[in-house]
Amino acid sequence: RQLAQLGNNVVVVRGNNDVSFKWPMQDHGILSALANERCLELPGGAVVVVHGHRLTPAHKRHQKLRQQYPDARAVVYGHSHRLVEDYSAPPWILNPGAVGKARTYGGPSCLLLHIKGEKWLVEHHRFTRTEKG
């Protein structure tokens, strides 16, 4: 809800912590509307967004994502909270990492996808944690 207030399109998928007992009662309608995956048709190809927690074991996650979404240009997942850019085979497998305070594995991070026609460029960012006090 807070991200949507920024005025941009927000793509959200259901994750392993998106269960009713962890959400306030007034937000259960939002929770029930969350999709398990989303596919965005962009210039140059499709991006699939999925949380990734159902793809086990973890060491086969990229292989399983490629098998499950062979027509995508990129698959973005998040469950591990680890920044990953895997271009070893199509589709690209991308994990933006985490922006919170816990389990960021090297610091908060994000990925930006730049599209110019058919050309795609992924830019990663690591942020330094700052303590406000």
Side-chain angles (χ1 to χ4, degrees):
R1 191 176 303 152
Q2 290 173 336
L3 290 172
Q5 292 174 6
L6 297 174
N8 297 319
N9 291 328
V10 177
V11 176
V12 180
V13 295
R14 182 182 291 263
N16 60 303
N17 283 303
D18 295 319
V19 291
S20 61
F21 72 90
K22 291 186 177 185
W23 280 59
M25 184 63 79
Q26 69 268 18
D27 291 337
H28 283 191
I30 295 169
L31 176 63
S32 65
L34 290 179
N36 289 320
E37 67 181 55
R38 296 280 307 271
C39 182
L40 308 170
E41 294 294 336
L42 301 173
V47 173
V48 172
V49 180
V50 62
H51 188 250
H53 63 288
R54 293 189 173 115
L55 298 161
T56 57
H59 73 278
K60 292 190 176 187
R61 186 169 289 135
H62 292 195
Q63 174 188 348
K64 289 183 175 190
L65 287 167
R66 287 187 169 106
Q67 290 171 346
Q68 194 165 347
Y69 306 105
D71 296 327
R73 181 152 179 191
V75 178
V76 178
Y77 76 99
H79 178 65
S80 72
H81 296 229
R82 295 179 189 273
L83 178 64
V84 172
E85 296 175 77
D86 179 354
Y87 306 107
S88 64
W92 297 346
I93 306 297
L94 306 170
N95 186 327
V99 296
K101 294 179 181 178
R103 297 183 0 209
T104 59
Y105 302 101
S109 60
C110 74
L111 296 173
L112 297 176
L113 173 61
H114 301 277
I115 300 173
K116 188 172 184 178
E118 298 289 315
K119 185 178 179 187
W120 286 17
L121 174 67
V122 177
E123 178 183 1
H124 67 265
H125 293 273
R126 281 256 185 224
F127 302 97
T128 304
R129 285 183 225 181
T130 59
E131 297 295 324
K132 293 184 178 181

